[in-house]
Amino acid sequence: MIDKIIKFYRRLAVKLILLISIAILPVNILALTVTQIIINDYQTRLINSYSSELDLYMAQVDAQLSDIEEAAVYFISNHIGGLTIGYDPGLASVNETSLYSDFRDMKSRLDLAAIGFLKNNKTGDTLITTAFADGGGLLPDLAVKAKIIIEEADFSILPEQQYGIQMIGDRIFQVNSYSFNTYSFGFLIDTQVLLGDLFSMRTTDREIDYLAHRDGRLAAYITESERVVLPVDKSKPFDLDALRSQNSQNLIEAQSSKMDYSLVRVLDESDVASKIPLTDRILQAVAFLSFLIIPVSWLLVRQLVLRPMNQLSTAMHEIEGGNLEYKLPQQASSEDFKYMNEAFNRMAAEIKTLTIEAYETDIEKLEIESMNLRLQVNPHMLLNAFNMIFSLAQSKNYKSIQKFSRHLSDYFRYALRQNDRLVALRDEMKFVLSYLEVQKIRFPGAFTSVYSIDDGLEAELLPPLLIQNFVENSIKYALKLGSTIEIVIIVRKNSGRLTISICDTGNGIAPDKLDKIRAGTVILDNTGQHIGIWNIRRRLKLFYGEKAVLKISSAIGQGTQVWIELPSSQHAEQTSQGGNDDEPSDR
């Protein structure tokens, strides 16, 4: 498992993607972090500016309410006796007239107070004065509804100078009241008028404003399009804490110093985001997009580097496997790889040419060596033949001379004129038999020979002089003085392979020489070099590669056994260029 992991991380593709990630990721993360800090800081400063603006606006509202409270205090100071203990019955009408007149004058100076009321706690009589004398500032039916509510209200139980919410019709009023023993008075401030300038502070219609109690309950909200103040739906209780949790970053508050309420504004998130400078947003977008550099870089590296390298690696494996025809495409991802592909194709072509030339050179060398071998043997054989003919002539054994001459002629015709790389088994055996007949005349009674060939194998192809070489070795080195040895040649076919064995019962081979022969070493002794078996090994390697097998076993005094195994010929019908069965052709 560990080896697989190590091998995985040693791959070029993995190293490249790790290198790209290490080089790019820290910069991307840093850029994204810095831009986010800049944007967050700007948003914080923007929201703080909105919050300061809302605080300033609430301070202006409190200043207007202070004007109402100061006027009420002045009115109380001028009429404290009448408000507390009432008036003398004789002077009641005059004093009440003055009280009512001063109240109307005070109300007329307070534009913010939509309705002013003065109520006689004893009789219940109530004076209602609206914002304008002609009633244009307030609908008449709304003033009537206000009077009914005020007449029914008990102001003595309300905290003095506290602002409470009172619904009149579909409008919300802030109630500021003052209660004494004889009279109660106060003002109803239209919340819509009180917060009217709040709309001019909005940046978009998507912003929402709430009026919240000190305990966190939401009392009212200001609609987006109609610009009116409406009460919060009681069926859906909603408090300030929930509002904060939903809009933690886009909520600002301004607490009134006069009212028991605070003004809450929920900013539109998209509006806040739209105020971010274009340069900061571009930097943030670039920081996000920079993460795409990793996959894009990987795709480019894969297309421009890894794929051409994989193609090159595949081509090298093909050439290594012997497919010298394999070519890389001429079109490449870059001029560098195009040059490499062209150079590789040229190299492959040169390898193919050199391989063919080396193969042909080996064949040529082998043919030369084979020819040299025949030339080395033939003069020696020819000299012995002349001596033999001379001896037979002296004994006037003309019949043996004829037989000897005919077999000798067949022998030299095959040995000197045969140039085929492969010969038919029948031709090789005719050559071997001619050689054996010649040697029987030279060494009468020294050996006997037998051979056995399976039917249908006469046309099998094999390298020339293959069998003859080992038969000749048996004659040259295995004969025993004063005794007869046996030479046996057997050719069989089994499972598509041709098996040839040449055995003799002669002298055998010394162990040290046998070891050299098996090792493929040229034998060198006082008679010279012995390259026959070495030459056969080379020819078998050239013709059949590793598919040919040559084994030799021997023991002193017990003979020698040669075993050769070859692939069966795939073209058995191709025979050698010999003549009829009686005599090889003079090709």
Side-chain angles (χ1 to χ4, degrees):
M1 183 65 182
I2 296 177
D3 292 339
K4 290 183 179 179
I5 294 175
I6 294 175
K7 187 176 181 181
F8 173 78
Y9 281 104
R10 290 182 63 185
R11 292 176 58 190
L12 179 60
V14 176
K15 290 182 178 180
L16 286 176
I17 193 64
L18 288 176
L19 181 63
I20 293 172
S21 300
I22 292 173
I24 297 176
L25 271 180
V27 178
N28 291 353
I29 294 173
L30 179 63
L32 186 60
T33 303
V34 170
T35 55
Q36 191 62 46
I37 291 174
I38 293 173
I39 290 173
N40 289 342
D41 179 67
Y42 182 84
Q43 287 179 328
T44 301
R45 289 188 284 110
L46 181 64
I47 291 175
N48 288 339
S49 68
Y50 285 156
S51 180
S52 299
E53 186 180 18
L54 192 63
D55 288 337
L56 181 61
Y57 177 76
M58 182 56 74
Q60 294 173 353
V61 171
D62 287 342
Q64 291 178 305
L65 295 177
S66 296
D67 291 341
I68 295 176
E69 294 173 359
E70 289 175 3
V73 171
Y74 181 78
F75 176 74
I76 292 170
S77 65
N78 288 335
H79 299 279
I80 185 62
L83 293 172
T84 304
I85 61 175
Y87 294 100
D88 187 278
L91 301 174
S93 60
V94 176
N95 291 329
E96 284 186 351
T97 301
S98 175
L99 179 67
Y100 290 150
S101 176
D102 288 348
F103 184 77
R104 286 192 181 94
D105 290 342
M106 177 184 64
K107 168 62 184 70
S108 65
R109 294 191 299 273
L110 301 174
D111 294 336
L112 187 61
I115 299 175
F117 65 90
L118 179 63
K119 179 181 179 180
N120 189 321
N121 296 331
K122 305 295 184 180
T123 64
D125 294 336
T126 303
L127 171 66
I128 296 294
T129 175
T130 59
F132 301 98
D134 58 1
L138 195 65
L139 297 176
D141 60 335
L142 199 60
V144 173
K145 292 179 181 179
K147 182 177 180 180
I148 295 172
I149 293 173
I150 293 170
E151 288 176 345
E152 294 176 352
D154 184 4
F155 294 101
S156 63
I157 64 174
L158 296 177
E160 191 172 316
Q161 298 185 16
Q162 291 297 314
Y163 293 86
I165 289 180
Q166 178 63 54
M167 288 293 301
I168 301 177
D170 58 353
R171 316 238 341 224
I172 300 176
F173 290 87
Q174 301 289 325
V175 181
N176 176 245
S177 62
Y178 303 85
S179 179
F180 297 92
N181 291 335
T182 305
Y183 289 93
S184 295
F185 74 92
F187 308 97
L188 273 70
I189 303 166
D190 191 350
T191 305
Q192 188 167 317
V193 176
L194 180 67
L195 304 178
D197 293 339
L198 192 63
F199 295 103
S200 62
M201 296 170 53
R202 287 188 171 185
T203 56
T204 67
D205 289 339
R206 291 184 293 273
E207 293 177 359
I208 304 176
D209 296 292
Y210 293 92
L211 203 60
H213 295 280
R214 287 186 185 273
D215 62 6
R217 290 178 297 109
L218 298 180
Y221 71 96
I222 302 174
T223 59
E224 304 169 6
S225 55
E226 293 83 358
R227 296 191 175 187
V228 295
V229 180
L230 298 175
V232 174
D233 189 354
K234 300 298 183 181
S235 64
K236 300 177 181 178
F238 201 70
D239 57 20
L240 189 56
D241 290 337
L243 200 62
R244 288 193 186 103
S245 64
Q246 294 179 6
N247 305 274
S248 58
Q249 297 182 350
N250 301 318
L251 185 142
I252 56 177
E253 300 179 58
Q255 180 66 48
S256 172
S257 61
K258 296 294 182 181
M259 297 185 295
D260 193 21
Y261 298 96
S262 62
L263 189 61
V264 180
R265 168 167 287 184
V266 178
L267 301 173
D268 181 62
E269 187 175 355
S270 60
D271 176 62
V272 175
S274 66
K275 296 294 192 299
I276 298 173
L278 181 61
T279 54
D280 292 344
R281 282 186 286 173
I282 291 175
L283 286 175
Q284 187 181 42
V286 170
F288 273 112
L289 292 176
S290 63
F291 284 95
L292 296 176
I293 295 177
I294 293 178
V296 171
S297 300
W298 167 246
L299 291 175
L300 289 175
V301 169
R302 182 174 179 271
Q303 181 67 26
L304 298 178
V305 179
L306 295 180
R307 177 177 290 181
M309 291 187 66
N310 287 336
Q311 291 178 342
L312 186 60
S313 177
T314 300
M316 294 175 67
H317 283 89
E318 290 289 335
I319 296 297
E320 185 179 10
N323 184 10
L324 300 180
E325 299 293 337
Y326 192 87
K327 295 291 185 292
L328 285 170
Q330 295 296 325
Q331 298 298 326
S333 58
S334 65
E335 287 297 321
D336 299 316
F337 278 107
K338 182 180 179 182
Y339 171 77
M340 292 175 66
N341 290 358
E342 292 175 350
F344 182 88
N345 290 338
R346 289 196 299 270
M347 180 191 70
E350 291 176 1
I351 291 175
K352 180 181 178 181
T353 301
L354 291 174
T355 301
I356 294 174
E357 290 178 353
Y359 181 78
E360 292 176 346
T361 301
D362 284 343
I363 293 177
E364 183 178 357
K365 286 182 178 179
L366 190 58
E367 290 176 348
I368 292 172
E369 290 170 356
S370 178
M371 185 177 297
N372 289 339
L373 181 61
R374 291 197 296 271
L375 291 176
Q376 289 172 3
V377 174
N378 291 336
H380 178 71
M381 181 73 175
L382 186 60
L383 180 60
N384 290 336
F386 285 150
N387 289 332
M388 188 64 193
I389 292 173
F390 178 76
S391 298
L392 292 173
Q394 282 184 329
S395 62
K396 298 181 180 181
N397 190 351
Y398 301 116
K399 185 176 182 180
S400 294
I401 292 175
Q402 292 176 350
K403 182 180 178 182
F404 185 85
S405 299
R406 181 169 61 84
H407 288 298
L408 188 63
S409 174
D410 292 339
Y411 173 86
F412 280 112
R413 182 181 293 111
Y414 183 88
L416 297 177
R417 307 295 294 276
Q418 179 57 259
N419 295 319
D420 293 336
R421 293 180 60 211
L422 295 175
V423 297
L425 178 59
R426 72 164 67 90
D427 295 333
E428 177 75 3
M429 285 305 300
K430 287 171 66 175
F431 171 66
V432 170
L433 294 177
S434 295
Y435 173 78
L436 288 173
E437 291 299 324
V438 169
Q439 298 304 327
K440 285 178 181 180
I441 295 174
R442 289 185 60 203
F443 305 105
F447 67 91
T448 60
S449 63
V450 294
Y451 68 93
S452 174
I453 301 175
D454 286 350
D455 294 338
L457 300 184
E458 292 81 3
E460 287 285 348
L461 301 179
L462 70 164
L465 304 178
L466 179 64
I467 299 175
Q468 188 273 341
N469 184 83
F470 291 104
V471 172
E472 184 175 348
N473 284 345
S474 295
I475 301 297
K476 291 170 65 176
Y477 306 112
L479 293 182
K480 295 180 179 180
L481 185 62
S483 62
T484 302
I485 70 169
E486 185 178 24
I487 301 174
V488 180
I489 303 170
I490 301 174
V491 182
R492 299 282 184 264
K493 183 176 181 181
N494 185 23
S495 300
R497 294 182 66 80
L498 198 67
T499 302
I500 305 170
S501 62
I502 304 102
C503 304
D504 66 62
T505 59
N507 291 319
I509 305 173
D512 56 337
K513 288 186 178 181
L514 183 61
D515 290 339
K516 292 182 179 181
I517 291 172
R518 287 172 174 171
T521 305
V522 175
I523 303 299
L524 180 63
D525 56 20
N526 55 358
T527 62
Q529 283 187 336
H530 303 274
I531 63 172
I533 298 178
W534 176 82
N535 186 286
I536 286 177
R537 285 188 184 277
R538 288 201 61 196
R539 286 195 292 155
L540 290 176
K541 180 74 172 178
L542 178 64
F543 290 138
Y544 303 107
E546 301 298 328
K547 296 179 181 180
V549 178
L550 171 61
K551 294 182 180 180
I552 300 175
S553 62
S554 182
I556 295 296
Q558 298 180 14
T560 301
Q561 299 81 40
V562 178
W563 184 69
I564 304 171
E565 184 177 313
L566 309 173
S568 176
S569 172
Q570 298 298 313
H571 304 281
E573 73 279 4
Q574 296 181 5
T575 59
S576 65
Q577 296 295 325
N580 54 41
D581 293 342
D582 295 328
E583 182 174 324
S585 169
D586 252 346
R587 191 173 62 86

